[in-house]
Amino acid sequence: MFMKPLHALLLAGLAVLAACSKPEPAPAPVRAVRTLTVAPQSAGGVQEYAGEVRARTESRLGFRVGGKIVRRDADLGDNVKAGQLLAQLDPQDLRLGQEAAKAALSAAQVNHDQAAADFKRFKELRDQGFISSAELERRETALKAALAQLEQARAQSSVQGNQAAYASLLADAKGVITAVEAEPGMVVAAGTPVLRLAHDGPRDVVFAVPEDKLALIRQLAAVPGRFSVKLWGEDSTALPASIREISAAADPVTRTFLVKADVGKAPVKLGQTATVRVELPQTAGVTKLPLTALKEEQGRSIVWVVDRQSMTVRAQAVQVAGADGNDAVITGGLQPGQVVVTAGVHVLNPGQTVKFYVEPGASAPASAASATPVSVK
């Protein structure tokens, strides 16, 4: 008669254990993916760089002597002529130095005249036999020393005259003021930049190239017709350009190389922003994939390749050579006939089961394993 309660207890225990056990995990969803079948192609493409129009010759003008700036006659953007006064230093100290040099020159001239008169008189006395030849030689030496002092004073007077003239900063050539780096009231040392002058004449479009693209730019610089320039803010056609200069050293901050493109006599303006287009050579045997097919993983570029037999995906590392519009140019890592996922790559995992995406209204394939991938371009 105790069997029924015992049986009830066992059933209750089994029910509690069944309630505590974890439920079976839900199967991973089978994702529908867009795909593209790999086929060898030819790719060229275009690389674009942001550039700026600059003068081929640009001078940073400064005074050749130090002093206090009392006046600046040129402003940013002014057009100036050769020889035009741009700025002025306080000339008082320089004038005093010039006057001192003139006084020293006058003293040296008087000393030389006196030494010449003495030498002439002592020469006559020696000819009459009143003095020895040694005494005459001493007077001749004194005359030569006076002449050297006179020449020194004359040169010093010329230098001081030039120093006084250097108090005025003049334009070396016709051009445009592109920068003002000192204001009236400042005390500047000799050579300190005060104004920046862009000379009239040829213009260059200057742009920066990363280290990994420098060799290609050097190679294409020798090929005519590879470079063109399109000005921003203007509905104009591309201007033909040629590479005139490539920097030999990288910028220490940006690690890029400065390149200057010559646009000939095109009517460009200083400071305009431009796009430099580089036509890349055609390369056969490459693969083009949409940029959405690529994923960065541990510092390398990968794509998801679909196994038609198991309908699962696996990661495949690829070598990316560049971009052609919205497509990536792949030079290694894929074989013709492989099926690559082109959308939704960031939600896939290795070994995940997928199915081919079917456009609405299209007939579904008979079986997943025999389905033909949909090419997306």
Side-chain angles (χ1 to χ4, degrees):
M1 62 180 172
F2 296 103
M3 294 299 294
K4 289 184 178 181
L6 181 59
H7 183 67
L9 289 174
L10 290 174
L11 291 177
L14 291 174
V16 171
L17 290 176
C20 294
S21 62
K22 294 182 180 180
E24 291 292 332
V30 178
R31 295 189 178 274
V33 293
R34 293 179 180 270
T35 58
L36 177 70
T37 302
V38 175
Q41 305 173 38
S42 296
V46 175
Q47 290 181 356
E48 295 185 347
Y49 299 93
E52 178 187 1
V53 177
R54 297 183 188 175
R56 181 166 299 180
T57 303
E58 192 172 33
S59 303
R60 303 181 70 180
L61 304 180
F63 293 99
R64 298 173 69 172
V65 294
K68 180 180 180 179
I69 301 177
V70 295
R71 191 176 69 193
R72 178 169 57 79
D73 297 329
D75 295 321
L76 184 66
D78 284 356
N79 290 286
V80 299
K81 299 178 181 179
Q84 180 177 333
L85 179 65
L86 303 179
Q88 180 74 46
L89 289 179
D90 183 0
Q92 185 62 30
D93 291 342
L94 298 174
R95 288 175 181 171
L96 292 175
Q98 185 180 17
E99 292 176 1
K102 289 181 179 179
L105 176 60
S106 298
Q109 184 67 55
V110 171
N111 184 42
H112 175 266
D113 294 343
Q114 181 63 45
D118 289 345
F119 176 75
K120 181 179 180 181
R121 184 170 60 255
F122 275 84
K123 187 176 183 298
E124 292 175 353
L125 291 174
R126 197 280 310 268
D127 293 342
Q128 297 174 8
F130 290 106
I131 62 173
S132 64
S133 297
E135 182 65 23
L136 181 62
E137 290 177 357
R138 282 194 293 270
R139 296 300 173 176
E140 185 180 8
T141 301
L143 175 60
K144 291 180 179 178
L147 178 59
Q149 291 174 357
L150 175 61
E151 292 175 350
Q152 180 183 9
R154 185 178 291 118
Q156 187 64 33
S157 178
S158 298
V159 169
Q160 289 298 329
N162 292 338
Q163 297 278 323
Y166 294 155
S168 299
L169 181 61
L170 306 178
D172 295 334
K174 182 181 179 182
V176 180
I177 302 298
T178 57
V180 176
E181 302 183 15
E183 297 291 346
M186 294 179 60
V187 177
V188 295
T192 301
V194 176
L195 298 168
R196 190 177 301 171
L197 175 65
H199 295 209
D200 282 353
R203 301 288 188 246
D204 290 334
V205 177
V206 181
F207 60 101
V209 175
E211 294 183 59
D212 60 335
K213 304 297 182 184
L214 183 63
L216 177 62
I217 296 297
R218 289 186 186 277
Q219 176 185 352
L220 296 180
V223 182
R226 290 292 186 181
F227 295 86
S228 60
V229 171
K230 182 76 165 56
L231 299 176
W232 288 14
E234 294 186 6
D235 188 15
S236 60
T237 58
L239 304 173
S242 59
I243 299 302
R244 189 181 66 84
E245 181 180 317
I246 299 177
S247 176
D251 184 275
V253 178
T254 62
R255 304 308 305 167
T256 57
F257 290 80
L258 205 63
V259 181
K260 297 181 180 180
D262 181 14
V263 292
K265 297 182 179 180
V268 295
K269 300 177 183 178
L270 288 175
Q272 278 187 298
T273 306
T275 299
V276 180
R277 295 170 57 88
V278 184
E279 297 287 342
L280 301 179
Q282 290 288 330
T283 303
V286 300
T287 301
K288 288 184 181 180
L289 294 177
L291 294 174
T292 55
L294 297 179
K295 178 184 177 183
E296 278 300 308
E297 186 176 274
Q298 298 179 355
R300 59 178 185 168
S301 298
I302 68 166
V303 296
W304 293 107
V305 176
V306 179
D307 184 350
R308 292 186 181 226
Q309 299 298 324
S310 62
M311 289 305 296
T312 57
V313 294
R314 60 180 176 85
Q316 178 69 48
V318 294
Q319 287 79 47
V320 181
D324 184 7
N326 293 325
D327 292 336
V329 179
I330 309 299
T331 57
L334 294 176
Q335 298 295 328
Q338 287 184 310
V339 179
V340 177
V341 178
T342 60
V345 296
H346 295 283
V347 297
L348 298 177
N349 297 307
Q352 185 171 350
T353 302
V354 295
K355 62 182 179 180
F356 295 123
Y357 176 76
V358 179
E359 295 287 349
S363 58
S367 63
S370 61
T372 301
V374 179
S375 297
V376 179
K377 298 183 180 179

